[in-house]
Amino acid sequence: MRNPIGGHVPVAGGLAKVGLGYARELAAEAVQVFVANPRGWATPPGNPAQDELFRSECAADAVPAYVHAPYLINFGSHTEATVERSVLSLRHSLRRARAIGALGVVVHTGSATGGRPREEALAQVRTHMLPLLDELTHDDDPFLLLESTAGQGSSLCSRTWDFGPYFEALDSHPRLGVCLDTCHIYAAGHDLTGPAGMRQTLDLLVDTVGEGRLKLIHANDSKDVVGAHKDRHENIGAGHIGSEPFRELFSHPATEDVPLIIETPGGRDGHAADVALLKELRGAASG
């Protein structure tokens, strides 16, 4: 399948029981989950039975799975406690991802807080994140997928070319990849809606990080205009990006075999409609 299409699924009540049940209701071909409270620092142990069931059912159905790390993680923080907690939290997500058979862990690229220079923050990213990448020595370890932000505040990575210094800071580690969020990159200033806007943006990304580094796409429309620096997701085709750029996305060489995950509003019905629309656009792009 050129691009498995799925969504972020709720897992309270059981990773496999609830999460995969929800995924089936969406007719999802890929899933993304949290393995901890996304707005906290807790590192809960998994339920071994649910972990094994999740792993085996995803494998049996050929459904690629991904973990989204908690939002509080920021390796560029000027607060020592935040950086220390970020290390523990990300290591937890990476280890839990391996336990459930997830292919990648998505982490937000963070910001340089406290008015410190970007270079200083990136040096700190290197000091604390590179050792975590070096711990990924097993064949079934996940990739660490950097997700850029909408460009709020002193973001370390929001435009395509910002991935360059971030990758350099991490020695372009072989376990490093990119999760491209369409809403974030649009909000950061890449106009995906103009003639060939999506193609040019993907070209810029490949020019920056190289081929094969794009591992996952968060397919989200935007409630706000291009360059608004606001992270507000909208249903596919209902926002300022519109549906046409998503059709273009499916025909770009860099997206071949890259799964799409929606993180859109609307609950189960809205999610199912978005998955169905993306499948239509995938069909139109290949037809």
Side-chain angles (χ1 to χ4, degrees):
M1 187 179 299
R2 192 189 193 281
N3 298 93
I5 294 166
H8 187 102
V9 299
V11 295
L15 198 62
K17 183 180 168 187
V18 175
L20 293 183
Y22 190 94
R24 290 187 186 105
E25 290 177 19
L26 305 186
E29 303 159 343
V31 295
Q32 178 179 275
V33 298
F34 289 123
V35 291
N37 178 353
R39 292 180 171 83
W41 291 115
T43 53
N47 175 320
Q50 283 291 305
D51 288 358
E52 183 50 43
L53 193 58
F54 184 90
R55 176 192 267 270
S56 62
E57 289 195 16
C58 284
D61 295 339
V63 170
Y66 297 84
V67 166
H68 198 307
Y71 301 134
L72 297 180
I73 290 173
N74 183 12
F75 285 82
S77 174
H78 69 295
T79 307
E80 196 174 329
T82 297
V83 177
E84 288 174 1
R85 286 171 175 159
S86 295
V87 171
L88 294 174
S89 180
L90 186 54
R91 179 181 283 120
H92 172 261
S93 286
L94 289 164
R95 289 184 176 172
R96 293 285 296 116
R98 182 175 179 233
I100 66 172
L103 301 182
V105 172
V106 177
V107 64
H108 289 174
T109 43
S111 56
T113 63
R116 61 211 309 233
R118 172 187 295 251
E119 293 73 24
E120 199 176 300
L122 282 172
Q124 194 167 279
V125 167
R126 177 183 179 82
T127 299
H128 296 281
M129 197 181 272
L130 194 54
L132 294 178
L133 282 161
D134 285 338
E135 289 174 13
L136 303 176
T137 56
H138 304 90
D139 290 342
D140 58 348
D141 272 326
F143 281 86
L144 180 60
L145 307 181
L146 302 175
E147 179 181 5
S148 60
T149 67
Q152 318 93 311
S154 49
S155 168
L156 287 175
C157 183
S158 58
R159 300 296 292 262
T160 52
W161 44 82
D162 293 334
F163 281 105
Y166 218 105
F167 265 66
E168 284 171 25
L170 297 170
D171 292 343
S172 294
H173 195 281
R175 281 284 170 182
L176 194 63
V178 170
C179 170
L180 183 73
D181 187 306
T182 53
C183 173
H184 294 183
I185 210 80
Y186 180 76
H190 287 281
D191 191 355
L192 305 176
T193 65
M198 180 63 81
R199 178 173 59 77
Q200 289 170 355
T201 300
L202 289 166
D203 285 349
L204 281 168
L205 181 65
V206 173
D207 287 347
T208 303
V209 299
E211 293 180 1
R213 293 288 190 167
L214 178 60
K215 303 290 186 184
L216 186 65
I217 293 163
H218 282 169
N220 302 304
D221 211 323
S222 173
K223 288 184 185 292
D224 300 285
V225 296
V226 62
H229 302 302
K230 290 182 179 176
D231 181 8
R232 298 202 307 156
H233 299 183
E234 182 56 281
N235 296 98
I236 306 298
H240 286 275
I241 296 175
S243 57
E244 178 60 20
F246 290 98
R247 188 186 65 77
E248 290 179 9
L249 180 153
F250 287 114
S251 59
H252 195 285
T255 68
E256 189 169 354
D257 301 327
V258 176
L260 273 69
I261 294 288
I262 57 158
E263 303 170 316
T264 51
R268 184 181 282 115
D269 292 345
H271 296 159
D274 282 338
V275 168
L277 177 54
L278 285 170
K279 287 179 180 178
E280 273 181 43
L281 295 168
R282 179 179 66 190
S286 62

